[in-house]
Structure formats: structure tokens, C-alpha cells
Amino acid sequence: RHSMLPRHVQRLGRDWITHWNGSQILSFSSPVSSCMRWAGHYPPWASFPLPISADFSANWRFPPFFGPWRQFQNSNWHLDNYTQSCCFHLPNPSMKSEGEEPLTKKRRLSGQDDTSTPEQETNLCHQKEVSCLSVAQDEEKHRSKKGTIKRHWEYFCQQSKTMKIAKNKGSYQSSTGSEATFDFTVMSYNILSQNLLEDNSHLYKHCRQRLLFWTYRFPNILQEIKELDADVLCLQEVQEDHYRTEIKSSLESLGYHCEYKMRTGRKPDGCAICFKTSKFSLISSNPVEFFRRDIPLLDRDNVGLVLLLQPRFHCKASAAICIANTHLLYNPRRGDIKLTQLAMLLAEIASVAPQKNGSFCPIVICGDFNSVPGSPLYRFIKEGKLNYEGLAIGKVSGQEQFPRGQRILSIPIWPEKLGISQNCVYEIKQQQKEENSGEKLEAAKPDNTQEIVIASEKLSSKLRHHFKLSSVYSHYFPETGIPEVTTCHSRSAVTVDYIFYSAADDNTAAQPGAEDSFCGGLKLLGRLALLTEKDLWTVNGLPNENNSSDHLPLLAEFRLIEW
């Protein structure tokens, strides 16, 4: 009877005919389009020839009286507003869903049932363009629209806004030697290693399979980097083989010089810092390995990278900027490891950043810290001090609402043979500093009182660092108090990525614990705004068709301030 229909269409008629009442007829609220193609045969449950056109999956929905909607919604069909358009096509049976957000996410965010009101359906449909082009052209248009979300630039300086507009118009020029200011942009971006994606596929169940292939993802990531056009890139989860074969050469063609440090374990990804050679020259590159074979605590393979860069076209030849990048351990129950890794990174920065006059040069620290705003680890970075006495290791990063790691942090956290003091500097450097300032202990054997003092210092539960750091982002939208989000997948949507910087005194108040002087600092001129979890689920979370990592890129513009 239906020999001219494809078999899957015939099955569709047989499978769903039982759900239809003979007196209920599928109808259309708009006239038949001239571009519509008509099937020669049609199933008996349709009282008119079945129209077949360009976007069945986007423009057709069973009417409200249709019974088992939940069962049909969970199938591979994507149905949307049949009442607003008569122009559609029947998809191939192997087509996947267009990737709407998981039902649990939808219910949690909206607090309502999954069914939408007729008014909502009408408004949604009015936003869609019904194309009568070929199926391939229509799907390409649909793909280019879906997953797009706007992020605006937030200015903190009117001059920055003027310069950015001029740059977009092509009239902006880099700072020259006669100018007293040096402005530059820094991006931090976890680009999602392909190996880690495949090892943790349960985090990406909401994504269509083709969006997860590296051949699809890399062009999107590269396009984001091109469009944002940062002067310094701090990238995490950079897979070594992709870096060697594609990423490095692609970024070099855009004018970047690249430095890379791969993790020390079996997972072949790492951190990269890339900078525009037109803006900076490299003074030194310093990789940091957090794995120590002789220290059981440090059995993880995370790494960091610290670069010392010299700005070009600047009035002071001695000017330098320290850029650090890291990806700390994820495990929410190992706050002891996270704090030790952070201390090792800070010690390396303290070793690289000092200038000839003894002050620190301006510092920018980027990365995925696997810690949420307000957590003890976060507060330690911003405030410069942390008393961890009685602190459970599962509460250090704040990743879990009900932490499972209840063991209390030991005092001290790391062993003495690591060679890093509680002030997060290399102890050799600390000794040299004490010698230079006349604070060296007497060569003679100390008496019992001195031994007690030294022992108490070693057993102190107070961590410190001597950097005056601020966060580029405020982590909450001031108007609503809703949290900003830097990563979003099937399991969670939180902030774990940061850009910290040493702020000039006129930019923010000095942070506690920042006793050491700085050679000027950085003024925050602007930042690329972040989004809420609800915003991201409107485009099906991350990754999606246009954003190919499960993290958002962070971007800030700074001005170098010198004293």
C-alpha cells in the first residue's frame, strides 16, 4: 500500500497509529507554502497528502491531546511547534536529537513541568526562520544559529572603551616607546583535552556525538581564539599530540610564540602559554612539576608554567610581567594536594618575579583551580593568608556541598624536604633573604628557647604568600546575586577558572599578607562578561555547536602601571 514511502516512514505510521483518535485530525494554522513537496502516498491516519519539506524536526509537534508525550519526547525525534509552520521534512531514522537540555536540568532551572504553554510555544516559533532551501542548506543555517550566545564586554575605564572601538575599526596601533602606558589582554581557557573528554563521556551525555569529535571542536576553538584576539593565551588541557601537529602551528600563524609543559603522567595533556611576539619578548620560561617521587603526598601529575615577559614599545627597558598558568588537581577530597600544588606554583612565581631592586614585577595567574569562589583555597589566593588548623581536606576547594573528605589537614601539610616554607617561597631563597636583611640565626647551636621557637614556626598552621592579588571576575551578578559560571556540563555548572592579578594601589585596596613591595601593578580596564547556568542551558550547556569546550574562555584587559 505504501511502496513509495521509505520503510521508516511506514513504520512510523504503524507504530503511532494506535495513539490517534480517528476523529482527531492533524491540522495546520498557516497556508501551504509554495516550496512544499508532497509525498505521493501517505498513511491512512492522515486525511490529506503528507507535506514533506525542509525542517520537519524543527517545525512539527504532535497536538496537545496526544497522549504519551514523555515517551515520544525521549525518543530520537525533535519536535517543535507543528502549529506554526506547514513546512517540514521527515528526518532520516538515524538522526539524533537536536540536543535539548537534559530534563533534570530543565526542571531544576525552571521549577516547572517540561510542557510549555501555548504562548511560550508561539513566541519560540516566531523567533525561528522557516527556510525553504535544500535540506543541507537548511540544516547548515540551523546549525549556525543554534548554540550561539552573546557575551558583552564590561568596561572599567572610558579610555579602554575608546581604544577598543578604535581597534575594532582597524585604526588602533600598539603603544610606542614615547607613550607611558602599556595595555594588553590575557585569556585563560581550558580547551578540554580530547582524551579527557572520551575518558569522562558521562559528563557529555547532553551533547550530540558529532559535536564531540576533535575534527569538529578544534576549528571552533581556533575561531574563538581568533575572534577574541588576546595578547597572551593561558591554555589548559592542551593535548600533546594535538599541540604538536595542529595547535602550535595554528597559533604561530596568528603571531603567537608558544611555550608548553605536558603533564608528567600517562594523560598526555598539559598547559600552554602563548603570547603575541608583536607585544612581548620572552625573558624566561619556567615549568613546574607537582609530582615528586620521594614525597607520597605529591603523587599526582599536574603541572604549571611560569613565564617572565618583557613588553615591547615601553618606556622602561627593565619592565617585566610575570604570567603563570596551571591546572590543579580535580579530586574534591584531596585539598591537601591542592594547597601543596598551589604553594609550589607560588614559590616558583616568587623565584621568577623579583626585580633587581628587590620588588616583584606585576603578576597574572591564570588557570583551572578546581575550587569555587569563597572556598579556603580561593580565599588564600586573594587574602594572602590561611589558617588551616582543624580544616577538613574535603572543604578546601568547596567543590562538594557535603564533602566526603573529613580527614583534618595535617600540620604542616607538606614535608620539610619539599623545600618550600609556610610563606610559599623556596627555603633557600628565604634563607638568603634573611641573610641579606641581617636576620640570620647565630652560627652557634641555639639554646632550648630558640629550639622551641623554631619548632613552633615549623608546626604553624598558617600559610602566607606575599602577592597582592585580585580576581578579574566578581563571581556573582550584582543586580541579581546569581553566580557566574565558567564550566557547564551534565553534572555541574560552577566557577573554577580564574584570572588573578597584582593590582595597582589605585585599582583596589591592598590585600592582607601583601607585605612586599611591587614594581607598580596592573589596572583592570575591562573584561569579557561571564554567563549564568540558565544562560548556558538555553544553548544546551557546554560543549555545544559553537562553543567546543566545557569551559568558557576568560578574557581581561590590563594596563601596566609603574612607580
Side-chain angles (χ1 to χ4, degrees):
R1 288 169 55 182
H2 311 297
S3 58
M4 294 184 64
L5 281 176
R7 290 185 179 180
H8 66 278
V9 177
Q10 298 178 34
R11 287 198 302 271
L12 175 69
R14 289 195 302 270
D15 293 343
W16 291 99
I17 190 170
T18 58
H19 297 300
W20 289 82
N21 185 312
S23 62
Q24 294 168 332
I25 299 175
L26 183 66
S27 61
F28 293 85
S29 61
S30 57
V32 176
S33 170
S34 60
C35 70
M36 186 176 296
R37 295 180 285 113
W38 296 91
H41 292 265
Y42 50 92
W45 44 267
S47 60
F48 45 82
L50 183 65
I52 302 178
S53 181
D55 200 3
F56 175 85
S57 63
N59 296 295
W60 189 57
R61 173 175 288 174
F62 284 105
F65 54 76
F66 184 72
W69 166 243
R70 175 69 63 191
Q71 178 182 358
F72 196 84
Q73 188 184 33
N74 290 335
S75 70
N76 279 341
W77 291 80
H78 178 74
L79 306 176
D80 197 3
N81 281 342
Y82 86 98
T83 58
Q84 299 303 319
S85 174
C86 59
C87 192
F88 59 85
H89 75 273
L90 289 175
N92 185 285
S94 63
M95 286 181 64
K96 299 292 184 183
S97 164
E98 288 294 319
E100 286 198 355
E101 64 194 67
L103 300 177
T104 54
K105 287 281 184 184
K106 187 184 296 182
R107 285 195 297 270
R108 179 160 62 87
L109 291 174
S110 65
Q112 300 174 353
D113 294 334
D114 296 335
T115 55
S116 56
T117 63
E119 292 81 9
Q120 290 173 326
E121 292 180 355
T122 301
N123 292 336
L124 180 62
C125 184
H126 285 167
Q127 296 173 2
K128 295 184 177 181
E129 298 178 358
V130 180
S131 172
C132 296
L133 302 173
S134 67
V135 173
Q137 289 174 322
D138 185 79
E139 288 180 350
E140 182 63 30
K141 278 192 173 184
H142 184 66
R143 181 163 57 250
S144 65
K145 290 176 179 293
K146 191 174 181 68
T148 301
I149 190 166
K150 296 287 186 180
R151 294 175 63 188
H152 65 276
W153 188 263
E154 296 177 334
Y155 296 96
F156 299 97
C157 174
Q158 183 61 35
Q159 185 178 358
S160 170
K161 184 175 182 179
T162 303
M163 292 176 64
K164 200 166 189 69
I165 293 173
K167 183 178 179 181
N168 291 338
K169 291 181 178 179
S171 60
Y172 172 80
Q173 293 181 353
S174 299
S175 300
T176 63
S178 62
E179 294 177 334
T181 62
F182 180 81
D183 298 348
F184 64 100
T185 53
V186 177
M187 176 198 290
S188 181
Y189 194 9
N190 183 326
I191 65 173
L192 181 56
S193 158
Q194 190 65 25
N195 278 359
L196 292 177
L197 183 155
E198 294 168 4
D199 290 345
N200 299 277
S201 58
H202 61 282
L203 300 179
Y204 312 106
K205 292 181 179 179
H206 62 286
C207 302
R208 283 189 292 169
Q209 191 65 31
R210 71 175 184 85
L211 304 184
L212 302 179
F213 295 133
W214 178 249
T215 52
Y216 182 93
R217 294 176 54 233
F218 179 61
N220 272 358
I221 292 170
L222 188 61
Q223 183 61 30
E224 276 187 294
I225 292 174
K226 286 181 180 179
E227 290 177 355
L228 295 177
D229 193 31
D231 297 317
V232 179
L233 305 175
C234 291
L235 306 178
Q236 304 89 41
E237 292 193 20
V238 180
Q239 193 163 305
E240 192 275 336
D241 57 336
H242 293 156
Y243 173 79
R244 180 169 28 85
T245 59
E246 296 176 277
I247 297 175
K248 183 180 180 182
S249 58
S250 297
L251 294 179
E252 287 177 342
S253 69
L254 298 177
Y256 291 98
H257 171 84
C258 302
E259 293 288 325
Y260 178 72
K261 174 57 182 175
M262 190 175 74
R263 290 168 67 177
T264 52
R266 296 181 179 180
K267 294 179 180 177
D269 67 278
C271 296
I273 300 179
C274 314
F275 59 90
K276 289 278 186 72
T277 55
S278 60
K279 297 279 284 190
F280 297 96
S281 60
L282 180 65
I283 298 176
S284 66
S285 178
N286 309 273
V288 185
E289 296 182 356
F290 298 145
F291 174 82
R292 296 294 176 88
R293 191 177 302 276
D294 58 335
I295 300 178
L297 174 69
L298 296 174
D299 60 349
R300 308 305 166 97
D301 299 303
N302 306 82
V303 295
L305 186 60
V306 181
L307 264 57
L308 193 62
L309 302 179
Q310 182 171 5
R312 297 185 186 273
F313 315 116
H314 197 261
C315 55
K316 287 190 177 181
S318 61
I321 298 174
C322 180
I323 307 289
N325 183 23
T326 192
H327 187 181
L328 299 185
L329 176 70
Y330 167 76
N331 192 337
R333 298 179 295 282
R334 293 308 305 267
D336 51 347
I337 298 179
K338 292 175 189 277
L339 282 173
T340 306
Q341 291 180 347
L342 177 61
M344 295 172 73
L345 180 72
L346 294 174
E348 186 65 28
I349 294 172
S351 176
V352 170
Q355 302 297 277
K356 292 181 179 179
N357 61 2
S359 64
F360 288 120
C361 70
I363 297 166
V364 179
I365 305 177
C366 299
D368 180 344
F369 290 81
N370 276 312
S371 302
V372 303
S375 65
L377 187 144
Y378 173 87
R379 294 201 311 270
F380 173 53
I381 295 174
K382 284 198 64 179
E383 297 174 5
K385 62 180 181 179
L386 174 67
N387 187 347
Y388 60 85
E389 183 177 4
L391 180 62
I393 60 173
K395 294 183 178 180
V396 169
S397 64
Q399 292 166 278
E400 294 181 332
Q401 187 176 1
F402 304 103
R404 289 170 283 178
Q406 297 301 324
R407 180 167 58 85
I408 302 301
L409 287 169
S410 61
I411 300 176
I413 299 176
W414 55 82
E416 184 179 357
K417 65 180 177 180
L418 179 61
I420 295 177
S421 73
Q422 296 288 89
N423 290 327
C424 298
V425 297
Y426 294 127
E427 290 188 329
I428 294 177
K429 298 287 184 181
Q430 181 73 24
Q431 292 172 6
Q432 291 175 349
K433 183 177 180 180
E434 290 175 354
E435 290 173 1
N436 295 335
S437 60
E439 296 176 0
K440 182 181 179 182
L441 295 176
E442 294 181 3
K445 182 178 179 180
D447 57 23
N448 294 337
T449 304
Q450 289 175 319
E451 289 179 353
I452 294 173
V453 171
I454 294 172
S456 64
E457 288 178 352
K458 289 183 177 180
L459 294 177
S460 172
S461 62
K462 295 179 181 179
L463 295 180
R464 288 183 178 272
H465 69 75
H466 300 302
F467 308 123
K468 181 182 58 177
L469 298 175
S470 297
S471 174
V472 164
Y473 290 91
S474 54
H475 315 308
Y476 296 90
F477 290 93
E479 304 84 3
T480 62
I482 297 175
E484 297 172 336
V485 165
T486 67
T487 180
C488 181
H489 50 64
S490 295
R491 290 288 181 89
S492 67
V494 294
T495 287
V496 294
D497 306 278
Y498 303 93
I499 301 177
F500 297 104
Y501 67 103
S502 53
D505 279 347
D506 63 343
N507 193 213
T508 187
Q511 303 290 349
E515 297 93 347
D516 289 86
S517 61
F518 279 75
C519 183
L522 299 173
K523 181 179 180 65
L524 180 62
L525 301 181
R527 66 190 180 196
L528 184 63
L530 288 171
L531 303 168
T532 67
E533 179 182 2
K534 188 174 182 179
D535 291 334
L536 287 172
W537 282 115
T538 63
V539 291
N540 198 40
L542 297 172
N544 56 51
E545 299 216 359
N546 293 306
N547 308 99
S548 287
S549 174
D550 57 349
H551 292 248
L552 292 173
L554 280 59
L555 181 65
E557 182 178 18
F558 299 104
R559 174 168 296 163
L560 178 61
I561 305 295
E562 290 191 319
W563 293 343

